Amino acid sequence: MRIDNTYAAIILIEILYDRGIVNEATYKNVVKKYKSQCEEADSHISQMAS
């Protein structure tokens, strides 16, 4: 089974945040970064399909 790196990073930061290991600012920054990368990748894929 293969898991996408972006998905894994978001899940891991959520776990760390829930356990109080990372603060809210760190959590939000990581999620923001990875979600923007995910949207960027989706944009490239949809452009290739056009």
Side-chain angles (χ1 to χ4, degrees):
M1 179 178 195
R2 186 175 169 99
I3 298 174
D4 178 63
N5 288 345
T6 302
Y7 176 77
I10 291 173
I11 295 300
L12 287 172
I13 197 69
E14 285 179 0
I15 291 168
L16 294 173
Y17 176 69
D18 288 344
R19 292 186 180 184
I21 297 171
V22 298
N23 62 27
E24 187 174 355
T26 301
Y27 168 75
K28 286 183 178 182
N29 285 331
V30 171
V31 170
K32 182 176 154 184
K33 176 181 177 175
Y34 279 97
K35 286 199 177 191
S36 70
Q37 285 180 356
C38 188
E39 289 168 357
E40 208 174 274
D42 288 344
S43 173
H44 291 300
I45 291 169
S46 63
Q47 286 176 359
M48 288 173 47
S50 298

